[in-house]
Structures are given as structure tokens and as C-alpha cells.
Amino acid sequence: TQLLEQSPQFLSIQEGENLTVYCNSSSVFSSLQWYRQEPGEGPVLLVTVVTGGEVKKLKRLTFQFGDARKDSSLHITAAQPGDTGLYLCAGAKSGYALNFGKGTSLLVTP
Amino acid sequence: DAGITQSPRHKVTETGTPVTLRCHQTENHRYMYWYRQDPGHGLRLIHYSYGVKDTDKGEVSDGYSVSRSKTEDFLLTLESATSSQTSVYFCAINPDGPNYGYTFGSGTRLTVV
């Protein structure tokens, strides 16, 4: 059973468009993280959100943690080809390890 | 420069042979993890360690064992490799539990033939 569901699974857009990726669960998390992974490399942490309703911005990326701490979204404004990659959300519950979603594969074409 | 290295980066092995993957960190982090990444399944936890000689199983631990005799090294052993263990294996480190971000290694691509 997948604890975190990400949507969409695939996304292909043109440079300059906006997009939103969703990460949903029926479970409550103490924190939620977003990672970006490029081919042949390990995931790289983008952000950690901890408080329900929290919004964090990283340049053109905006991350939001749901009020109930069960879901999160990632919004990219004016996407660029350099944003291409696999975006993973991961949630921390009790215990020592993160649970990962399956990821959203984003392709931004010039 | 990330302070975590995995070896080897690529390996091809035959069914039934034992295989050991190594994760080495220079960050002195307490927590270390092994995940496998497969199409359609995402990242799944195999084993993790919360200190020297302190390890526990993840959701896909069958057929795998781990050892951590030093803070800096976390070894993953496939006791008798099977084709279903063909995957990309990632090690990750973390200073103080899952609420803190992971730093991942670059992965080991393992093919079992």
C-alpha cells in the first residue's frame, strides 16, 4: 500500500508555463519533504515543511503543507528546462525513516 | 563533496552469488538508510541504522542483510542474488531522524543475470 500518492505521474510542458504537483495521503505526517532527482543521480532535498498550512518559497518553486498535515503541493512558476527531473515527496511519521511517493516526472521543453 | 559515497556504481552479478554494496559517509551522521528504486514502485526502504550495530528492517528486507560496525560505513549484502533484486540501490544519511533532510549517495545500479 502506497502511503503517499503523487499526481500527476508524468507532466510535459513548455518553457514558461506554470505547473502544480500534488502529494496526498490519508495519514498525518510530522514533516514532509520534497526532493528532485536527475537521471543517474540520487535525490536532492529541496525543502522540508513541518507546520500545517506552512508555505515555503525557493525562487520559482512554492511548497505548501496542508492544514491537516496530510498533503502537500509544489508549484513551479515559469518553468525552465533546468526544472526537468523526477520530483519526489516524502513524509515522516513515527519511526526513523521516510516514506516516499512514486514521483512526478517533469519534462520542460524549450 | 556531499560526504557520502557508494561503491560500486555499477555491478553485474550472477543469480545465486552473494553481493555486498558499500556506503561510506564522512559527515558523522547517526542515521543511515538503504533504499531500492524501481519503476512503478518508487523508493522503498530495505534496512536502516540508527547507530553502530543498531539496525532494523524496512518494508522490503527479505533477501538482504546489513552491517554497521563503524559510524561511517553501512554495508548491504544480498545473500544469494536473484533477478528480482536487479535495481538501483541508494544509500542515504541523516543527522537526527526523518524530520531532517536526507543526503543521498549517487546510487549503485545492480543487474542480476
Side-chain angles (χ1 to χ4, degrees), chain A residues 40-91:
Chain A
E41 295 297 327
V44 175
L45 178 68
L46 295 174
V47 76
T48 300
V49 285
V50 178
T51 305
E54 183 176 3
V55 177
K56 281 192 174 180
K57 293 191 176 183
L58 185 66
K59 297 183 180 178
R60 294 176 292 100
L61 279 59
T62 301
F63 305 86
Q64 185 162 9
F65 200 12
D67 291 341
R69 291 187 290 131
K70 293 182 179 181
D71 51 75
S72 180
S73 64
L74 159 59
H75 182 79
I76 301 179
T77 302
Q80 299 177 0
D83 296 326
T84 293
L86 180 68
Y87 289 82
L88 297 161
C89 68

mmCIF file of all heavy atoms in Angstrom, chain A residues 40-91:
data_model
loop_
_atom_site.group_PDB
_atom_site.id
_atom_site.type_symbol
_atom_site.label_atom_id
_atom_site.label_comp_id
_atom_site.label_asym_id
_atom_site.label_seq_id
_atom_site.Cartn_x
_atom_site.Cartn_y
_atom_site.Cartn_z
ATOM 1 N N GLY A 40 20.473 9.170 -13.220
ATOM 2 C CA GLY A 40 21.780 8.682 -12.818
ATOM 3 C C GLY A 40 22.294 9.236 -11.505
ATOM 4 O O GLY A 40 23.440 8.951 -11.122
ATOM 5 N N GLU A 41 21.471 9.996 -10.807
ATOM 6 C CA GLU A 41 21.897 10.597 -9.551
ATOM 7 C C GLU A 41 20.894 10.291 -8.439
ATOM 8 O O GLU A 41 19.763 9.869 -8.698
ATOM 9 C CB GLU A 41 22.043 12.104 -9.698
ATOM 10 C CG GLU A 41 23.148 12.525 -10.671
ATOM 11 C CD GLU A 41 24.514 12.072 -10.206
ATOM 12 O OE1 GLU A 41 24.752 12.022 -8.979
ATOM 13 O OE2 GLU A 41 25.358 11.746 -11.088
ATOM 14 N N GLY A 42 21.308 10.542 -7.205
ATOM 15 C CA GLY A 42 20.390 10.384 -6.097
ATOM 16 C C GLY A 42 19.511 11.612 -5.941
ATOM 17 O O GLY A 42 19.833 12.692 -6.448
ATOM 18 N N PRO A 43 18.388 11.465 -5.243
ATOM 19 C CA PRO A 43 17.517 12.619 -4.989
ATOM 20 C C PRO A 43 18.237 13.690 -4.174
ATOM 21 O O PRO A 43 19.084 13.380 -3.331
ATOM 22 C CB PRO A 43 16.357 12.008 -4.193
ATOM 23 C CG PRO A 43 16.383 10.548 -4.514
ATOM 24 C CD PRO A 43 17.827 10.218 -4.712
ATOM 25 N N VAL A 44 17.864 14.932 -4.424
ATOM 26 C CA VAL A 44 18.429 16.072 -3.700
ATOM 27 C C VAL A 44 17.297 16.804 -3.000
ATOM 28 O O VAL A 44 16.280 17.129 -3.626
ATOM 29 C CB VAL A 44 19.178 17.023 -4.657
ATOM 30 C CG1 VAL A 44 19.654 18.259 -3.911
ATOM 31 C CG2 VAL A 44 20.357 16.312 -5.309
ATOM 32 N N LEU A 45 17.479 17.064 -1.727
ATOM 33 C CA LEU A 45 16.449 17.726 -0.929
ATOM 34 C C LEU A 45 16.222 19.156 -1.409
ATOM 35 O O LEU A 45 17.169 19.930 -1.582
ATOM 36 C CB LEU A 45 16.865 17.745 0.539
ATOM 37 C CG LEU A 45 15.916 18.433 1.513
ATOM 38 C CD1 LEU A 45 14.622 17.630 1.651
ATOM 39 C CD2 LEU A 45 16.569 18.624 2.879
ATOM 40 N N LEU A 46 14.941 19.496 -1.614
ATOM 41 C CA LEU A 46 14.562 20.867 -1.965
ATOM 42 C C LEU A 46 14.067 21.627 -0.738
ATOM 43 O O LEU A 46 14.482 22.767 -0.500
ATOM 44 C CB LEU A 46 13.452 20.854 -3.023
ATOM 45 C CG LEU A 46 13.823 20.265 -4.387
ATOM 46 C CD1 LEU A 46 12.583 20.176 -5.269
ATOM 47 C CD2 LEU A 46 14.899 21.095 -5.051
ATOM 48 N N VAL A 47 13.170 20.993 0.024
ATOM 49 C CA VAL A 47 12.561 21.706 1.141
ATOM 50 C C VAL A 47 11.985 20.713 2.139
ATOM 51 O O VAL A 47 11.656 19.574 1.782
ATOM 52 C CB VAL A 47 11.447 22.633 0.627
ATOM 53 C CG1 VAL A 47 10.194 21.837 0.280
ATOM 54 C CG2 VAL A 47 11.101 23.714 1.629
ATOM 55 N N THR A 48 11.890 21.152 3.390
ATOM 56 C CA THR A 48 11.169 20.427 4.430
ATOM 57 C C THR A 48 10.100 21.352 4.995
ATOM 58 O O THR A 48 10.393 22.503 5.332
ATOM 59 C CB THR A 48 12.108 19.990 5.570
ATOM 60 O OG1 THR A 48 13.115 19.128 5.044
ATOM 61 C CG2 THR A 48 11.337 19.247 6.658
ATOM 62 N N VAL A 49 8.860 20.871 5.070
ATOM 63 C CA VAL A 49 7.789 21.634 5.709
ATOM 64 C C VAL A 49 7.321 20.860 6.929
ATOM 65 O O VAL A 49 7.221 19.632 6.899
ATOM 66 C CB VAL A 49 6.616 21.917 4.753
ATOM 67 C CG1 VAL A 49 7.010 23.014 3.766
ATOM 68 C CG2 VAL A 49 6.190 20.673 3.988
ATOM 69 N N VAL A 50 7.046 21.601 7.991
ATOM 70 C CA VAL A 50 6.784 20.970 9.285
ATOM 71 C C VAL A 50 5.423 21.370 9.854
ATOM 72 O O VAL A 50 4.731 20.548 10.462
ATOM 73 C CB VAL A 50 7.898 21.343 10.289
ATOM 74 C CG1 VAL A 50 7.623 20.738 11.650
ATOM 75 C CG2 VAL A 50 9.249 20.891 9.776
ATOM 76 N N THR A 51 5.037 22.602 9.666
ATOM 77 C CA THR A 51 3.823 23.128 10.295
ATOM 78 C C THR A 51 2.654 23.081 9.318
ATOM 79 O O THR A 51 2.790 23.475 8.156
ATOM 80 C CB THR A 51 4.050 24.577 10.742
ATOM 81 O OG1 THR A 51 5.201 24.632 11.582
ATOM 82 C CG2 THR A 51 2.842 25.104 11.493
ATOM 83 N N GLY A 52 1.495 22.629 9.788
ATOM 84 C CA GLY A 52 0.304 22.619 8.947
ATOM 85 C C GLY A 52 0.006 24.009 8.400
ATOM 86 O O GLY A 52 0.039 24.984 9.152
ATOM 87 N N GLY A 53 -0.258 24.111 7.088
ATOM 88 C CA GLY A 53 -0.520 25.401 6.459
ATOM 89 C C GLY A 53 0.728 26.157 6.031
ATOM 90 O O GLY A 53 0.631 27.217 5.412
ATOM 91 N N GLU A 54 1.877 25.601 6.347
ATOM 92 C CA GLU A 54 3.142 26.289 6.037
ATOM 93 C C GLU A 54 3.357 26.417 4.535
ATOM 94 O O GLU A 54 3.052 25.508 3.773
ATOM 95 C CB GLU A 54 4.292 25.507 6.659
ATOM 96 C CG GLU A 54 5.674 26.121 6.483
ATOM 97 C CD GLU A 54 6.754 25.333 7.209
ATOM 98 O OE1 GLU A 54 6.451 24.277 7.795
ATOM 99 O OE2 GLU A 54 7.921 25.772 7.169
ATOM 100 N N VAL A 55 3.876 27.574 4.141
ATOM 101 C CA VAL A 55 4.235 27.832 2.753
ATOM 102 C C VAL A 55 5.700 28.243 2.715
ATOM 103 O O VAL A 55 6.124 29.111 3.476
ATOM 104 C CB VAL A 55 3.366 28.942 2.125
ATOM 105 C CG1 VAL A 55 3.827 29.234 0.692
ATOM 106 C CG2 VAL A 55 1.900 28.537 2.128
ATOM 107 N N LYS A 56 6.450 27.582 1.835
ATOM 108 C CA LYS A 56 7.850 27.956 1.665
ATOM 109 C C LYS A 56 8.117 28.219 0.190
ATOM 110 O O LYS A 56 7.582 27.521 -0.680
ATOM 111 C CB LYS A 56 8.781 26.849 2.166
ATOM 112 C CG LYS A 56 8.958 26.817 3.670
ATOM 113 C CD LYS A 56 10.103 25.898 4.070
ATOM 114 C CE LYS A 56 10.368 25.974 5.560
ATOM 115 N NZ LYS A 56 11.489 25.094 5.973
ATOM 116 N N LYS A 57 8.960 29.226 -0.057
ATOM 117 C CA LYS A 57 9.309 29.559 -1.440
ATOM 118 C C LYS A 57 10.805 29.391 -1.646
ATOM 119 O O LYS A 57 11.616 29.771 -0.799
ATOM 120 C CB LYS A 57 8.880 30.981 -1.767
ATOM 121 C CG LYS A 57 7.378 31.164 -1.785
ATOM 122 C CD LYS A 57 6.971 32.497 -2.374
ATOM 123 C CE LYS A 57 5.452 32.584 -2.469
ATOM 124 N NZ LYS A 57 4.994 33.854 -3.101
ATOM 125 N N LEU A 58 11.123 28.819 -2.789
ATOM 126 C CA LEU A 58 12.510 28.627 -3.194
ATOM 127 C C LEU A 58 12.595 29.113 -4.636
ATOM 128 O O LEU A 58 12.315 28.368 -5.578
ATOM 129 C CB LEU A 58 12.877 27.148 -3.085
ATOM 130 C CG LEU A 58 14.323 26.751 -3.360
ATOM 131 C CD1 LEU A 58 15.236 27.333 -2.300
ATOM 132 C CD2 LEU A 58 14.445 25.222 -3.355
ATOM 133 N N LYS A 59 12.924 30.380 -4.794
ATOM 134 C CA LYS A 59 12.957 31.027 -6.109
ATOM 135 C C LYS A 59 11.598 30.864 -6.793
ATOM 136 O O LYS A 59 10.600 31.402 -6.323
ATOM 137 C CB LYS A 59 14.099 30.469 -6.959
ATOM 138 C CG LYS A 59 15.475 30.741 -6.366
ATOM 139 C CD LYS A 59 16.583 30.244 -7.256
ATOM 140 C CE LYS A 59 17.928 30.543 -6.617
ATOM 141 N NZ LYS A 59 19.067 30.022 -7.438
ATOM 142 N N ARG A 60 11.500 30.121 -7.874
ATOM 143 C CA ARG A 60 10.235 29.965 -8.603
ATOM 144 C C ARG A 60 9.392 28.794 -8.092
ATOM 145 O O ARG A 60 8.317 28.510 -8.634
ATOM 146 C CB ARG A 60 10.538 29.770 -10.093
ATOM 147 C CG ARG A 60 11.161 30.978 -10.784
ATOM 148 C CD ARG A 60 11.516 30.673 -12.240
ATOM 149 N NE ARG A 60 12.616 29.685 -12.294
ATOM 150 C CZ ARG A 60 12.416 28.414 -12.522
ATOM 151 N NH1 ARG A 60 11.217 27.927 -12.738
ATOM 152 N NH2 ARG A 60 13.454 27.581 -12.555
ATOM 153 N N LEU A 61 9.863 28.117 -7.068
ATOM 154 C CA LEU A 61 9.152 26.971 -6.508
ATOM 155 C C LEU A 61 8.460 27.374 -5.219
ATOM 156 O O LEU A 61 9.064 28.002 -4.352
ATOM 157 C CB LEU A 61 10.136 25.825 -6.231
ATOM 158 C CG LEU A 61 10.567 24.923 -7.383
ATOM 159 C CD1 LEU A 61 11.244 25.691 -8.502
ATOM 160 C CD2 LEU A 61 11.433 23.784 -6.877
ATOM 161 N N THR A 62 7.178 27.013 -5.098
ATOM 162 C CA THR A 62 6.406 27.278 -3.894
ATOM 163 C C THR A 62 5.874 25.960 -3.359
ATOM 164 O O THR A 62 5.230 25.203 -4.097
ATOM 165 C CB THR A 62 5.231 28.228 -4.178
ATOM 166 O OG1 THR A 62 5.737 29.464 -4.699
ATOM 167 C CG2 THR A 62 4.448 28.513 -2.897
ATOM 168 N N PHE A 63 6.142 25.700 -2.106
ATOM 169 C CA PHE A 63 5.740 24.463 -1.448
ATOM 170 C C PHE A 63 4.713 24.794 -0.372
ATOM 171 O O PHE A 63 4.871 25.764 0.372
ATOM 172 C CB PHE A 63 6.941 23.787 -0.792
ATOM 173 C CG PHE A 63 8.081 23.520 -1.726
ATOM 174 C CD1 PHE A 63 9.038 24.497 -1.962
ATOM 175 C CD2 PHE A 63 8.202 22.307 -2.362
ATOM 176 C CE1 PHE A 63 10.094 24.263 -2.823
ATOM 177 C CE2 PHE A 63 9.251 22.054 -3.223
ATOM 178 C CZ PHE A 63 10.200 23.043 -3.452
ATOM 179 N N GLN A 64 3.670 23.968 -0.282
ATOM 180 C CA GLN A 64 2.655 24.175 0.735
ATOM 181 C C GLN A 64 2.373 22.864 1.444
ATOM 182 O O GLN A 64 2.266 21.808 0.811
ATOM 183 C CB GLN A 64 1.376 24.732 0.121
ATOM 184 C CG GLN A 64 0.318 25.078 1.150
ATOM 185 C CD GLN A 64 -0.743 26.010 0.610
ATOM 186 O OE1 GLN A 64 -0.794 26.281 -0.591
ATOM 187 N NE2 GLN A 64 -1.589 26.519 1.490
ATOM 188 N N PHE A 65 2.248 22.925 2.750
ATOM 189 C CA PHE A 65 1.875 21.786 3.570
ATOM 190 C C PHE A 65 0.417 21.971 3.964
ATOM 191 O O PHE A 65 0.038 23.055 4.419
ATOM 192 C CB PHE A 65 2.757 21.742 4.813
ATOM 193 C CG PHE A 65 2.848 20.413 5.515
ATOM 194 C CD1 PHE A 65 2.387 19.243 4.939
ATOM 195 C CD2 PHE A 65 3.435 20.320 6.765
ATOM 196 C CE1 PHE A 65 2.492 18.023 5.583
ATOM 197 C CE2 PHE A 65 3.558 19.105 7.422
ATOM 198 C CZ PHE A 65 3.082 17.954 6.832
ATOM 199 N N GLY A 66 -0.404 20.962 3.790
ATOM 200 C CA GLY A 66 -1.817 21.077 4.107
ATOM 201 C C GLY A 66 -2.065 21.356 5.588
ATOM 202 O O GLY A 66 -1.253 20.995 6.442
ATOM 203 N N ASP A 67 -3.192 21.976 5.870
ATOM 204 C CA ASP A 67 -3.521 22.340 7.248
ATOM 205 C C ASP A 67 -3.531 21.123 8.174
ATOM 206 O O ASP A 67 -3.123 21.212 9.329
ATOM 207 C CB ASP A 67 -4.890 23.025 7.301
ATOM 208 C CG ASP A 67 -4.872 24.395 6.663
ATOM 209 O OD1 ASP A 67 -3.778 24.954 6.503
ATOM 210 O OD2 ASP A 67 -5.964 24.911 6.321
ATOM 211 N N ALA A 68 -4.003 19.998 7.657
ATOM 212 C CA ALA A 68 -4.101 18.781 8.457
ATOM 213 C C ALA A 68 -2.829 17.948 8.414
ATOM 214 O O ALA A 68 -2.768 16.864 8.998
ATOM 215 C CB ALA A 68 -5.276 17.933 7.977
ATOM 216 N N ARG A 69 -1.820 18.438 7.710
ATOM 217 C CA ARG A 69 -0.510 17.760 7.578
ATOM 218 C C ARG A 69 -0.656 16.381 6.937
ATOM 219 O O ARG A 69 0.051 15.430 7.282
ATOM 220 C CB ARG A 69 0.204 17.676 8.922
ATOM 221 C CG ARG A 69 0.669 19.051 9.416
ATOM 222 C CD ARG A 69 1.518 18.955 10.674
ATOM 223 N NE ARG A 69 0.717 18.569 11.806
ATOM 224 C CZ ARG A 69 1.043 17.592 12.654
ATOM 225 N NH1 ARG A 69 2.142 16.880 12.485
ATOM 226 N NH2 ARG A 69 0.268 17.323 13.677
ATOM 227 N N LYS A 70 -1.596 16.282 5.985
ATOM 228 C CA LYS A 70 -1.760 15.026 5.254
ATOM 229 C C LYS A 70 -1.363 15.162 3.783
ATOM 230 O O LYS A 70 -1.262 14.158 3.076
ATOM 231 C CB LYS A 70 -3.222 14.574 5.304
ATOM 232 C CG LYS A 70 -3.707 14.176 6.677
ATOM 233 C CD LYS A 70 -5.147 13.697 6.598
ATOM 234 C CE LYS A 70 -5.670 13.252 7.952
ATOM 235 N NZ LYS A 70 -7.064 12.763 7.859
ATOM 236 N N ASP A 71 -1.177 16.387 3.310
ATOM 237 C CA ASP A 71 -0.915 16.554 1.894
ATOM 238 C C ASP A 71 -0.033 17.771 1.671
ATOM 239 O O ASP A 71 0.153 18.617 2.559
ATOM 240 C CB ASP A 71 -2.222 16.709 1.116
ATOM 241 C CG ASP A 71 -3.110 17.783 1.718
ATOM 242 O OD1 ASP A 71 -2.805 18.982 1.539
ATOM 243 O OD2 ASP A 71 -4.092 17.417 2.385
ATOM 244 N N SER A 72 0.494 17.856 0.461
ATOM 245 C CA SER A 72 1.385 18.955 0.120
ATOM 246 C C SER A 72 1.308 19.197 -1.379
ATOM 247 O O SER A 72 0.871 18.331 -2.149
ATOM 248 C CB SER A 72 2.825 18.617 0.519
ATOM 249 O OG SER A 72 3.708 19.677 0.202
ATOM 250 N N SER A 73 1.715 20.384 -1.776
ATOM 251 C CA SER A 73 1.782 20.701 -3.196
ATOM 252 C C SER A 73 3.068 21.445 -3.503
ATOM 253 O O SER A 73 3.644 22.114 -2.641
ATOM 254 C CB SER A 73 0.572 21.526 -3.622
ATOM 255 O OG SER A 73 0.571 22.776 -2.961
ATOM 256 N N LEU A 74 3.482 21.301 -4.726
ATOM 257 C CA LEU A 74 4.658 22.001 -5.254
ATOM 258 C C LEU A 74 4.219 22.743 -6.500
ATOM 259 O O LEU A 74 3.722 22.121 -7.447
ATOM 260 C CB LEU A 74 5.749 20.983 -5.598
ATOM 261 C CG LEU A 74 6.848 21.406 -6.609
ATOM 262 C CD1 LEU A 74 7.603 22.628 -6.128
ATOM 263 C CD2 LEU A 74 7.788 20.248 -6.860
ATOM 264 N N HIS A 75 4.377 24.050 -6.488
ATOM 265 C CA HIS A 75 4.002 24.872 -7.638
ATOM 266 C C HIS A 75 5.272 25.476 -8.236
ATOM 267 O O HIS A 75 6.095 26.039 -7.507
ATOM 268 C CB HIS A 75 3.036 25.977 -7.206
ATOM 269 C CG HIS A 75 2.569 26.836 -8.338
ATOM 270 N ND1 HIS A 75 1.577 26.442 -9.213
ATOM 271 C CD2 HIS A 75 2.984 28.072 -8.752
ATOM 272 C CE1 HIS A 75 1.384 27.395 -10.114
ATOM 273 N NE2 HIS A 75 2.220 28.388 -9.851
ATOM 274 N N ILE A 76 5.405 25.344 -9.544
ATOM 275 C CA ILE A 76 6.542 25.947 -10.241
ATOM 276 C C ILE A 76 6.000 27.028 -11.176
ATOM 277 O O ILE A 76 5.106 26.758 -12.004
ATOM 278 C CB ILE A 76 7.358 24.915 -11.031
ATOM 279 C CG1 ILE A 76 7.898 23.836 -10.091
ATOM 280 C CG2 ILE A 76 8.525 25.590 -11.769
ATOM 281 C CD1 ILE A 76 8.705 22.746 -10.780
ATOM 282 N N THR A 77 6.543 28.208 -11.035
ATOM 283 C CA THR A 77 6.153 29.342 -11.873
ATOM 284 C C THR A 77 7.161 29.502 -13.007
ATOM 285 O O THR A 77 8.373 29.438 -12.772
ATOM 286 C CB THR A 77 6.113 30.625 -11.041
ATOM 287 O OG1 THR A 77 5.195 30.446 -9.954
ATOM 288 C CG2 THR A 77 5.678 31.813 -11.882
ATOM 289 N N ALA A 78 6.645 29.703 -14.203
ATOM 290 C CA ALA A 78 7.506 29.952 -15.372
ATOM 291 C C ALA A 78 8.601 28.901 -15.482
ATOM 292 O O ALA A 78 9.795 29.202 -15.374
ATOM 293 C CB ALA A 78 8.090 31.350 -15.314
ATOM 294 N N ALA A 79 8.179 27.660 -15.690
ATOM 295 C CA ALA A 79 9.114 26.534 -15.712
ATOM 296 C C ALA A 79 10.199 26.722 -16.759
ATOM 297 O O ALA A 79 9.982 27.311 -17.833
ATOM 298 C CB ALA A 79 8.353 25.238 -15.979
ATOM 299 N N GLN A 80 11.370 26.214 -16.435
ATOM 300 C CA GLN A 80 12.531 26.270 -17.319
ATOM 301 C C GLN A 80 13.038 24.856 -17.582
ATOM 302 O O GLN A 80 12.797 23.949 -16.777
ATOM 303 C CB GLN A 80 13.625 27.115 -16.676
ATOM 304 C CG GLN A 80 13.201 28.548 -16.425
ATOM 305 C CD GLN A 80 14.278 29.361 -15.727
ATOM 306 O OE1 GLN A 80 15.360 28.853 -15.416
ATOM 307 N NE2 GLN A 80 13.982 30.625 -15.478
ATOM 308 N N PRO A 81 13.760 24.646 -18.678
ATOM 309 C CA PRO A 81 14.282 23.304 -18.972
ATOM 310 C C PRO A 81 15.108 22.718 -17.823
ATOM 311 O O PRO A 81 15.121 21.511 -17.628
ATOM 312 C CB PRO A 81 15.121 23.534 -20.228
ATOM 313 C CG PRO A 81 14.442 24.676 -20.921
ATOM 314 C CD PRO A 81 13.984 25.579 -19.799
ATOM 315 N N GLY A 82 15.764 23.562 -17.071
ATOM 316 C CA GLY A 82 16.543 23.103 -15.922
ATOM 317 C C GLY A 82 15.702 22.537 -14.797
ATOM 318 O O GLY A 82 16.239 21.909 -13.880
ATOM 319 N N ASP A 83 14.386 22.735 -14.858
ATOM 320 C CA ASP A 83 13.487 22.158 -13.853
ATOM 321 C C ASP A 83 13.157 20.706 -14.162
ATOM 322 O O ASP A 83 12.546 20.021 -13.332
ATOM 323 C CB ASP A 83 12.186 22.957 -13.777
ATOM 324 C CG ASP A 83 12.390 24.382 -13.312
ATOM 325 O OD1 ASP A 83 13.286 24.602 -12.469
ATOM 326 O OD2 ASP A 83 11.656 25.273 -13.791
ATOM 327 N N THR A 84 13.537 20.240 -15.326
ATOM 328 C CA THR A 84 13.268 18.852 -15.717
ATOM 329 C C THR A 84 13.862 17.878 -14.708
ATOM 330 O O THR A 84 15.000 18.049 -14.260
ATOM 331 C CB THR A 84 13.842 18.573 -17.117
ATOM 332 O OG1 THR A 84 13.109 19.335 -18.075
ATOM 333 C CG2 THR A 84 13.764 17.099 -17.476
ATOM 334 N N GLY A 85 13.059 16.887 -14.330
ATOM 335 C CA GLY A 85 13.541 15.885 -13.388
ATOM 336 C C GLY A 85 12.388 15.134 -12.761
ATOM 337 O O GLY A 85 11.225 15.349 -13.105
ATOM 338 N N LEU A 86 12.736 14.254 -11.823
ATOM 339 C CA LEU A 86 11.748 13.499 -11.076
ATOM 340 C C LEU A 86 11.568 14.170 -9.723
ATOM 341 O O LEU A 86 12.541 14.334 -8.979
ATOM 342 C CB LEU A 86 12.213 12.053 -10.901
ATOM 343 C CG LEU A 86 11.277 11.123 -10.120
ATOM 344 C CD1 LEU A 86 9.996 10.868 -10.905
ATOM 345 C CD2 LEU A 86 11.985 9.797 -9.811
ATOM 346 N N TYR A 87 10.354 14.552 -9.412
ATOM 347 C CA TYR A 87 10.052 15.214 -8.143
ATOM 348 C C TYR A 87 9.406 14.206 -7.202
ATOM 349 O O TYR A 87 8.392 13.585 -7.534
ATOM 350 C CB TYR A 87 9.142 16.418 -8.356
ATOM 351 C CG TYR A 87 9.877 17.556 -9.033
ATOM 352 C CD1 TYR A 87 10.053 17.570 -10.407
ATOM 353 C CD2 TYR A 87 10.428 18.591 -8.280
ATOM 354 C CE1 TYR A 87 10.749 18.592 -11.031
ATOM 355 C CE2 TYR A 87 11.131 19.621 -8.887
ATOM 356 C CZ TYR A 87 11.291 19.610 -10.260
ATOM 357 O OH TYR A 87 11.989 20.620 -10.867
ATOM 358 N N LEU A 88 9.998 14.073 -6.023
ATOM 359 C CA LEU A 88 9.554 13.094 -5.037
ATOM 360 C C LEU A 88 9.114 13.806 -3.771
ATOM 361 O O LEU A 88 9.809 14.698 -3.289
ATOM 362 C CB LEU A 88 10.697 12.142 -4.687
ATOM 363 C CG LEU A 88 11.245 11.270 -5.811
ATOM 364 C CD1 LEU A 88 12.630 10.741 -5.442
ATOM 365 C CD2 LEU A 88 10.311 10.111 -6.084
ATOM 366 N N CYS A 89 7.972 13.375 -3.249
ATOM 367 C CA CYS A 89 7.606 13.839 -1.914
ATOM 368 C C CYS A 89 7.871 12.694 -0.935
ATOM 369 O O CYS A 89 7.836 11.516 -1.316
ATOM 370 C CB CYS A 89 6.164 14.311 -1.839
ATOM 371 S SG CYS A 89 4.911 13.031 -2.025
ATOM 372 N N ALA A 90 8.145 13.053 0.297
ATOM 373 C CA ALA A 90 8.455 12.050 1.324
ATOM 374 C C ALA A 90 7.923 12.543 2.655
ATOM 375 O O ALA A 90 8.087 13.717 2.998
ATOM 376 C CB ALA A 90 9.955 11.811 1.398
ATOM 377 N N GLY A 91 7.295 11.641 3.405
ATOM 378 C CA GLY A 91 6.712 12.017 4.677
ATOM 379 C C GLY A 91 7.328 11.264 5.843
ATOM 380 O O GLY A 91 7.694 10.095 5.711
#
